[in-house]
């Protein structure tokens, strides 16, 4: 053999010997010696304790599924027992994750392409404890040491990571959250064999391509201090990392009186592509959904709804959720529509359109600060449980329930609502409600708020500045062509009336309830009614018991025609004073003067009649109405009888109010509206 050949033989032999030595070292090396180094390195990188406290070992096996010569390359299979991952220093818990055993395999040849490929990981008895403290610190946010020391100009790593599958026998997740008052335990188990998506989620053609369910889960505990129970199913790791195969989700969760059911899929889960779900939820009040969803909704009667939820998480301004084509009910009212919720800065925003074909007016009560009146005992119990017991005094009539204006700045809104048929009462037909609700930074605007009523319409603008303390409110209300025979359907004699009611009101005030707003209100109220009728029976129908006394003293038990009724009230600091308040009837002119105090809900009115020549003894004495709104009192004024012409003299100072009220008479009604003549006469008084 030549000298060169001998050198080559020695080199080859040495290389082969080194390979054999390396293989023998790897095969018989005690990997437990590396545990202190591994534990220290991982703990330093994660900035929290990490330890493999049990056996650590590596075995080598061929992967016979590989093609050709690759099937002869041995693959390392790593196992580690009793693994613990701790919490950051500010979380006072023993551990975040504990694994009884981990088995994993690594594809060695992929390292040549700078890829760490782990075909599978098997976990035994995994336990995770997720904790959030009252100061918003949590243990699922990692502060990596490498990210702290990273140079902003550093190029991204050329290495990639791939994990194909995770399997485990049973997992447990404990979730404790001081902010959301939550303490929930979740158990996750393999289903044994995959369950087809369509078998559980229904026959939605758009989602038939979703992967099968692989794991089942059950949850129990408390959330927002309410009992929580739930169960459902999810897909496996293969569909979790797929960009094209939707990851299936199915859940049925109850939190207190709220129930949420979903069935659908998550697109491109690793990159939070989006959600496509059928969503059904129900409960005692929509307000309870804020704790679960972060969406601010009003305190309503019991509700239920079913619709299609789509979400996109990678929109430029933030995640966008669309709840489309939903149907349901709130109280006794049906509800339909589509809503979009955008998690944008500085506040999320709710937009959309809602429609109700059969709307119970009482179900809207909570929107204006009054109770719906339905199942009041249950409502009061629910309020007391939430610390919101009614503040309505027993001796007051105006609503004292507070507007929850402090939460109005949590979210903005731009929602249009329409109600076709309104159920209020047989005596007051209302229909075709429409309003455009705009909420921005705590400022609430309803413009317009309009509806058809009694053959006419009521058009208003309501503005509540919830960002002010106390709340500032303004209402501009315009009533036009309300037909008296439809307003008073229970009065048979009124059915022959062709009269109408028109009015304008502008009021502004401060306070966090309807009562407080009226108690501080300033503004004007104008009202005009022609060709009506008044009687004791009418007073009984409209519930004005004190009116029975007044009407009987003025007219006896007879029905009396009203040619024109006109009112012009000035309101200052909650005190309404009469500029003009007159009834022109077939028998007399009735002039009312005095004040109505919204702050203490007291009346102080004088009623002065002037007979039109028909001798009725009761028309010769002035009357009074005093007392409270809750318990008014009426009687005959003591003292001398009214001097003839006293009412006529009073009308001499009402020229300006009469002229203002003429604007409420529609030009098309001039020929038949009797108020035109009466007001013209008043206007001419000097």
């Amino acid at each position: 053999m030549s000298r060169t050949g001998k050198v080559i033989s020695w080199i080859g032999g040495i290389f082969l010997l080194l390979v054999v030595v390396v293989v023998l070292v790897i095969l018989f090396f005690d990997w437990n010696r590396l545990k202190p180094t591994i534990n220290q390195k991982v703990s330093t990188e994660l900035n929290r304790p990490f330890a493999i406290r049990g056996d650590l070992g590596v075995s080598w096996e061929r992967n016979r599924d590989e093609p050709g010569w690759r099937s002869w390359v041995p693959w390392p299979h790593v196992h580690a027992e009793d693994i613990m991952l701790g919490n950051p220093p500010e979380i006072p818990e023993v551990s975040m994750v504990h694994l009884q055993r981990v088995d994993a395999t690594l594809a060695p040849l992929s390292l040549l392409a700078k890829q760490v490929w782990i075909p599978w990981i098997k976990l035994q008895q995994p336990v995770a404890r997720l904790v959030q403290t009252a100061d918003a610190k949590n243990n699922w946010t990692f502060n990596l040491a490498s990210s702290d020391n990273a140079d902003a100009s550093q190029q991204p790593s050329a290495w990639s990571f791939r994990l194909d599958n995770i399997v485990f026998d049973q997992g447990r997740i404990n979730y404790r959250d001081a902010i959301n008052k939550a303490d929930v335990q979740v158990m996750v188990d393999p289903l044994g064999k995959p369950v087809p998506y369509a078998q559980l989620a229904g026959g939605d053609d758009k989602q038939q391509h979703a992967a099968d369910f692989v794991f089942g889960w059950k949850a129990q505990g408390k959330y927002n201090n309410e009992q929580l129970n739930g169960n459902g199913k999810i897909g496996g790791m293969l569909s979790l990392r797929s960009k094209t195969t939707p990851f299936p989700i199915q859940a049925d969760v109850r939190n207190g009186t709220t129930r949420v059911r979903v069935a659908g899929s998550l697109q491109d889960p690793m990159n939070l592509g989006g959600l496509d779900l059928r969503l059904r939820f129900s409960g005692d009040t929509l307000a309870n959904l804020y704790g679960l969803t972060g969406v601010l909704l009003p305190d309503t009667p019991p509700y239920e709804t079913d619709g299609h939820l789509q979400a996109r998480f990678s929109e430029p301004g933030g995640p966008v959720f669309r709840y489309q084509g939903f149907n349901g009910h709130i109280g006794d009212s049906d509800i339909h529509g589509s809503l979009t919720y955008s998690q944008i800065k500085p506040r999320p925003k709710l937009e959309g359109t809602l429609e109700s074909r059969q709307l119970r007016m009482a179900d809207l009560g909570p929107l204006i600060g009054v109770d719906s009146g339905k199942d009041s005992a249950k409502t009061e119990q629910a309020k007391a449980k939430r610390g919101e017991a009614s503040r309505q005094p027993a001796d007051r009539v105006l609503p004292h329930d507070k507007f929850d204006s402090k939460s109005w700045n949590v979210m903005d809104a731009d929602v249009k609502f329409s109600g076709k048929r309104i159920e209020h009462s047989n005596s007051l037909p209302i229909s075709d409600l429409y309003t455009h609700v705009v909420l921005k930074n705590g400022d609430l605007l309803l413009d317009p708020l309009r509806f058809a009523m009694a053959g006419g319409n009521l058009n208003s603008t309501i503005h509540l500045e919830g960002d002010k303390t106390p709340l500032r409110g303004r209402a501009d209300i315009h009533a036009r062509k309300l037909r008296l025979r439809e307003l008073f359907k229970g009065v048979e004699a009124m059915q022959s009336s062709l009269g109408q009611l028109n009015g304008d009101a502008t009021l502004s005030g401060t306070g966090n309830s309807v009562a407080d707003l009226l108690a501080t209100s300033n503004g004007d109220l104008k009202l005009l009614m022609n060709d009506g009728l008044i009687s004791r029976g009418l007073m009984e129908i409209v519930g004005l018991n004190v009116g029975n006394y007044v009407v009987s003293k003025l007219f006896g038990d007879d029905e009396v025609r009203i040619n024109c009724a006109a009112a012009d009230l000035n309101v200052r600091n909650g005190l309404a004073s009469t500029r003009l308040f007159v009834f022109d009837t077939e028998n007399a002119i009735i002039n009312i003067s005095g004040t109505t105090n919204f702050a203490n809900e007291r009346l102080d009115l004088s009623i002065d009649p002037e007979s039109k020549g028909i001798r009725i003894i009761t028309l010769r004495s002035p009357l009074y109405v005093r007392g409270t709104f809750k318990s008014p009192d009426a009687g005959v004024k003591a003292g001398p009888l009214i001097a003839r012409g006293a009412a006529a003299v009073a009308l001499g100072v009402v020229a300006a109010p009469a002229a203002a009220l003429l604007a409420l008479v529609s030009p098309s009604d001039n020929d038949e509206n009797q108020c035109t003549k009466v007001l013209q006469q008043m206007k001419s008084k000097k």
Side-chain angles (χ1 to χ4, degrees):
M1 179 181 294
S2 66
R3 183 180 179 87
T4 302
K6 289 180 179 181
V7 171
I8 293 175
S9 298
W10 274 102
I11 293 174
I14 293 172
F15 177 77
L16 181 60
L17 179 62
L18 289 174
V19 171
V20 172
V21 171
V22 170
V23 171
L24 290 175
V25 169
I26 292 175
L27 289 176
F28 296 103
F29 180 74
D30 184 4
W31 294 93
N32 288 295
R33 296 181 180 180
L34 295 180
K35 287 196 301 182
T37 303
I38 295 174
N39 293 343
Q40 181 183 358
K41 292 290 187 183
V42 175
S43 298
T44 302
E45 177 63 25
L46 298 182
N47 281 320
R48 61 179 68 191
F50 173 83
I52 301 174
R53 299 183 295 193
D55 184 53
L56 174 63
V58 178
S59 61
W60 298 81
E61 295 180 9
R62 293 170 52 195
N63 186 350
R64 301 181 184 277
D65 293 333
E66 288 286 286
W69 62 269
R70 293 173 177 267
S71 64
W72 290 93
V73 177
W75 286 34
H77 298 280
V78 182
H79 73 270
E81 297 178 352
D82 192 10
I83 303 173
M84 183 275 296
L85 174 64
N87 291 305
E90 60 269 20
I91 305 294
E93 294 288 329
V94 176
S95 64
M96 175 184 174
V97 176
H98 179 264
L99 303 170
Q100 182 175 317
R101 180 182 170 100
V102 176
D103 291 270
T105 188
L106 175 67
L109 295 178
S110 64
L111 298 175
L112 300 176
K114 295 185 178 181
Q115 181 185 54
V116 179
W117 175 26
I118 301 177
W120 56 263
I121 292 179
K122 181 179 179 181
L123 311 177
Q124 289 187 13
Q125 301 294 316
V127 177
R129 298 178 179 89
L130 306 180
V131 179
Q132 179 164 253
T133 62
D135 54 358
K137 295 178 180 177
N138 63 69
N139 66 346
W140 58 80
T141 300
F142 286 82
N143 181 21
L144 302 181
S146 58
S147 62
D148 293 339
N149 301 323
D151 186 351
S153 61
Q154 185 177 354
Q155 295 296 323
S157 174
W159 286 80
S160 61
F161 177 78
R162 171 182 171 184
L163 174 62
D164 281 1
N165 202 6
I166 297 178
V167 295
F168 54 87
D169 47 3
Q170 184 184 73
R172 186 172 79 248
I173 302 172
N174 297 332
Y175 171 62
R176 289 199 297 109
D177 190 336
I179 294 178
N180 294 307
K181 301 178 179 61
D183 188 355
V184 181
Q185 297 79 45
V186 182
M187 300 296 296
V188 183
D189 288 290
L191 295 175
K193 63 178 182 179
V195 177
Y197 172 85
Q199 180 176 327
L200 295 179
D204 190 344
D205 293 337
K206 295 181 180 180
Q207 299 181 5
Q208 288 300 313
H209 60 288
D212 294 336
F213 293 104
V214 175
F215 296 102
W217 60 268
K218 292 183 179 180
Q220 64 178 3
K222 287 192 173 182
Y223 190 88
N224 274 332
N225 285 334
E226 296 277 3
Q227 190 65 35
L228 182 142
N229 293 282
N231 61 80
K233 295 174 177 61
I234 56 176
M237 188 64 189
L238 290 175
S239 57
L240 184 63
R241 67 179 182 84
S242 173
K243 293 185 178 181
T244 57
T245 302
F247 181 78
I249 301 171
Q250 185 262 332
D252 186 347
V253 178
R254 297 176 185 266
N255 182 212
T257 59
T258 301
R259 183 182 184 186
V260 180
R261 289 170 286 175
V262 300
S265 61
L266 175 63
Q267 286 79 39
D268 193 8
M270 302 302 290
N271 297 305
L272 288 178
L275 280 172
D276 192 350
L277 305 171
R278 180 186 179 187
L279 172 62
R280 293 175 286 178
F281 54 96
S282 59
D284 277 355
T285 170
L286 283 170
N288 287 345
L289 287 175
Y290 178 70
L292 289 172
T293 65
V295 182
L296 178 65
L297 296 170
D299 192 1
T300 67
Y303 69 93
E304 183 174 2
T305 184
D306 184 349
H308 183 203
L309 176 67
Q310 290 184 314
R312 295 293 177 265
F313 299 107
S314 14
E315 296 293 327
V320 176
F321 300 83
R322 294 181 175 88
Y323 192 39
Q324 299 177 318
F326 63 83
N327 300 286
H329 68 83
I330 299 175
D332 293 330
S333 307
D334 67 290
I335 192 76
H336 318 272
S338 296
L339 294 171
T340 299
Y341 180 72
S342 305
Q343 288 186 331
I344 57 178
K345 298 295 183 180
R347 291 169 303 279
K349 186 174 184 180
L350 182 68
E351 302 172 277
T353 58
L354 298 172
E355 177 185 355
S356 178
R357 297 163 193 147
Q358 176 76 22
L359 176 63
R360 182 176 180 264
M361 202 66 173
D363 294 332
L364 291 180
L367 300 180
I368 58 173
V370 298
D371 289 331
S372 66
K374 182 182 179 184
D375 200 359
S376 58
K378 187 174 181 180
T379 300
E380 289 304 319
Q381 290 176 3
K383 282 190 172 185
K385 191 173 184 180
R386 299 193 301 267
E388 302 172 2
S390 177
R391 300 176 177 86
Q392 184 69 26
D395 60 341
R396 295 299 179 98
V397 174
L398 298 176
H400 279 68
D401 282 357
K402 300 295 183 182
F403 296 107
D404 188 17
S405 57
K406 290 183 179 179
S407 61
W408 291 359
N409 62 355
V410 173
M411 180 186 76
D412 291 344
D414 189 333
V415 178
K416 297 177 181 178
F417 175 80
S418 59
K420 298 302 181 183
R421 185 177 182 275
I422 315 297
E423 178 189 336
H424 181 60
S425 68
N426 293 331
S427 60
L428 190 60
I430 299 174
S431 62
D432 295 325
L433 169 68
Y434 174 81
T435 187
H436 183 187
V437 181
V438 178
L439 176 64
K440 187 173 183 180
N441 195 21
D443 189 287
L444 178 63
L445 177 66
L446 282 71
D447 184 22
L449 170 60
R450 65 170 181 254
F451 48 85
M453 182 172 69
N457 63 82
L458 192 147
N459 199 336
S460 62
T461 298
I462 310 295
H463 188 192
L464 301 177
E465 298 178 70
D467 56 333
K468 304 292 192 304
T469 303
L471 178 147
R472 298 178 186 174
R474 179 182 174 89
D476 293 289
I477 304 171
H478 308 280
R480 291 294 182 269
K481 296 186 177 181
L482 307 187
R483 299 175 185 173
L484 298 181
R485 62 184 176 188
E486 295 189 28
L487 276 174
F488 304 105
K489 284 191 172 183
V491 183
E492 183 177 351
M494 193 72 83
Q495 300 310 299
S496 61
S497 171
L498 299 176
Q500 295 180 353
L501 182 68
N502 297 290
D504 287 333
T506 300
L507 293 172
S508 61
T510 60
N512 277 55
S513 69
V514 173
D516 291 342
L517 287 169
L518 289 174
T520 60
S521 60
N522 295 282
D524 298 282
L525 173 65
K526 296 179 175 64
L527 196 67
L528 203 62
M529 182 183 76
N530 71 288
D531 193 18
L533 175 144
I534 192 168
S535 68
R536 289 187 63 185
L538 177 59
M539 294 297 99
E540 292 174 357
I541 289 173
V542 299
L544 296 178
N545 295 327
V546 70
N548 294 342
Y549 176 87
V550 174
V551 173
S552 64
K553 285 295 182 182
L554 292 175
F555 308 114
D557 291 334
D558 296 333
E559 293 178 341
V560 177
R561 289 284 173 180
I562 298 175
N563 300 320
C564 177
D568 187 347
L569 307 180
N570 173 257
V571 184
R572 288 294 176 269
N573 297 319
L575 186 68
S577 305
T578 57
R579 293 192 186 104
L580 171 66
F581 199 166
V582 63
F583 286 81
D584 183 85
T585 74
E586 56 188 348
N587 295 335
I589 296 176
I590 312 298
N591 189 57
I592 301 175
S593 60
T595 61
T596 299
N597 194 321
F598 292 109
N600 57 20
E601 297 192 12
R602 297 194 68 85
L603 300 163
D604 188 5
L605 301 174
S606 295
I607 302 172
D608 300 307
E610 180 194 11
S611 173
K612 286 186 174 180
I614 301 176
R615 181 177 175 79
I616 302 178
I617 188 65
T618 56
L619 294 182
R620 301 193 61 192
S621 299
L623 306 178
Y624 67 82
V625 177
R626 298 171 185 154
T628 66
F629 293 1
K630 187 86 171 181
S631 302
D633 177 47
V636 179
K637 279 190 175 182
L641 300 178
I642 296 177
R644 284 188 63 84
V649 172
L651 294 180
V653 297
V654 297
L661 286 168
L662 277 169
L664 295 179
V665 181
S666 173
S668 61
D669 296 335
N670 280 346
D671 295 336
E672 58 186 43
N673 194 320
Q674 298 189 49
C675 280
T676 303
K677 180 174 67 175
V678 174
L679 292 174
Q680 289 287 7
Q681 291 174 351
M682 294 181 186
K683 181 181 176 182
S684 64
K685 298 283 185 180
K686 301 293 183 184

